[in-house]
Amino acid sequence: RHIYHDMPFFRSALLVLLIVITVSCASREELDDTDRTQFFSQTQTEVHFDFIEHDVFPAAGSLYNTNGNFVGSCVLVTPLIAYTAAHCIQLGDLKYAQFGHEKLLIEIQLIHKDYFTTGDDIGLLIFTSASEHTPMPIVENVEIIPPMFPINTIAHGSGDKKMSKETVFRYYGILKARPNEIIFLPLKTTVWFGDSGGALVYRDEEGNCILLGIITQFSTMDGKIYECGARRADNFNIYDDIWQPWIAK
């Protein structure tokens, strides 16, 4: 079933941060590109990433604000809908998304209803017209991925589209205390500002990218990044009663 066939019903039904938590010396940093934290210096280079054009993996898109400035990343999940991090919506003053060489105007912005209470950092964007590109398939159950399995990011950290190489990130798992969040380990380097809303994927046997989660944050201790996080994409959907309209203040 495809939501773009049911848009009149869906729109009428809808009416339409990474949250920084500091405990002692540990903190979690949001990854939008609007307010960079200078304390943590990180450069994403060709050593750990393949820099790619917009039309490579076009379902992994980028977000821009009303001034045309880059804000963050997003992932096309139906021709009319993309996921992103809720804090990109909150902070971004978003206007359009780019997938490949096409630019789609954003009509409706939604965030998880628990974003401001529990920090469930997932958002949904509905476009004024359908994309010509194939949406990214979503894994049925993230927990089939074994610990330390190699995974990849496809996102726009610092504004450049890139895919991480196979040795860079490893899947760690889902913590009981954070059941909606994928923890992945930055063995070589880390996600960075502008990666928020991007795709955390694994490659299937045919080499296709399968969406595991939406990149949201990294965690630091004593000034060093020790883990990265993504909102898992398998335990909610676009029809769930979890969305609330975002109205910019």
Side-chain angles (χ1 to χ4, degrees):
R1 187 183 186 195
H2 297 290
I3 193 169
Y4 52 94
H5 293 316
D6 301 322
M7 284 307 296
F9 168 78
F10 185 66
R11 289 177 182 174
S12 62
L14 290 171
L15 299 176
V16 186
L17 170 211
L18 171 63
I19 304 300
V20 177
I21 303 174
T22 303
V23 180
S24 181
C25 55
S27 68
R28 303 172 73 194
E29 295 289 330
E30 62 190 14
L31 299 173
D32 67 281
D33 207 50
T34 60
D35 185 18
R36 296 169 181 245
T37 301
Q38 298 296 333
F39 180 71
F40 306 108
S41 177
Q42 179 67 40
T43 302
Q44 295 179 330
T45 70
E46 290 85 353
V47 175
H48 301 124
F49 295 88
D50 292 321
F51 285 71
I52 55 180
E53 299 297 325
H54 280 286
D55 57 358
V56 179
F57 305 115
S62 49
L63 294 172
Y64 301 85
N65 64 18
T66 53
N67 295 320
N69 296 322
F70 170 73
V71 172
S73 304
C74 61
V75 182
L76 193 71
V77 294
T78 83
L80 273 173
I81 291 177
Y83 291 152
T84 188
H87 70 261
C88 289
I89 294 175
Q90 177 196 5
L91 302 173
D93 190 24
L94 300 179
K95 182 177 182 179
Y96 68 92
Q98 181 169 345
F99 302 99
H101 292 291
E102 69 178 4
K103 296 179 180 179
L104 301 181
L105 289 175
I106 299 168
E107 182 175 16
I108 298 172
Q109 303 180 48
L110 306 168
I111 61 173
H112 196 287
K113 63 183 181 180
D114 296 330
Y115 171 56
F116 289 109
T117 56
T118 64
D120 203 335
D121 196 359
I122 187 68
L124 184 150
L125 305 171
I126 303 176
F127 303 112
T128 58
S129 59
S131 172
E132 65 183 25
H133 297 295
T134 302
M136 188 174 291
I138 300 172
V139 68
E140 291 186 4
N141 182 2
V142 164
E143 296 180 52
I144 66 170
I145 306 298
M148 302 308 293
F149 190 81
I151 54 179
N152 304 87
T153 60
I154 310 175
H156 296 75
S158 302
D160 297 312
K161 187 171 185 179
K162 60 185 78 70
M163 183 175 190
S164 63
K165 296 184 178 181
E166 295 297 324
T167 59
V168 173
F169 297 113
R170 290 290 186 273
Y171 176 84
Y172 181 77
I174 309 291
L175 303 182
K176 289 184 178 179
R178 290 144 67 181
N180 293 328
E181 187 174 342
I182 298 168
I183 303 301
F184 60 106
L185 304 180
L187 299 187
K188 304 287 186 177
T189 187
T190 183
V191 293
W192 200 236
F193 295 95
D195 284 332
S196 261
L200 183 69
V201 306
Y202 80 95
R203 308 293 292 272
D204 66 13
E205 293 179 354
E206 288 75 39
N208 301 310
C209 291
I210 310 298
L211 184 66
L212 297 173
I214 300 298
I215 300 166
T216 55
Q217 52 92 11
F218 58 69
S219 297
T220 65
M221 183 172 290
D222 296 332
K224 296 181 180 180
I225 297 168
Y226 65 93
E227 70 176 22
C228 301
R231 207 303 182 179
R232 61 190 294 182
D234 64 324
N235 66 350
F236 70 95
N237 65 56
I238 53 184
Y239 292 103
D240 285 344
D241 185 24
I242 60 172
W243 306 108
Q244 68 182 34
W246 170 254
I247 301 175
K249 296 180 176 60

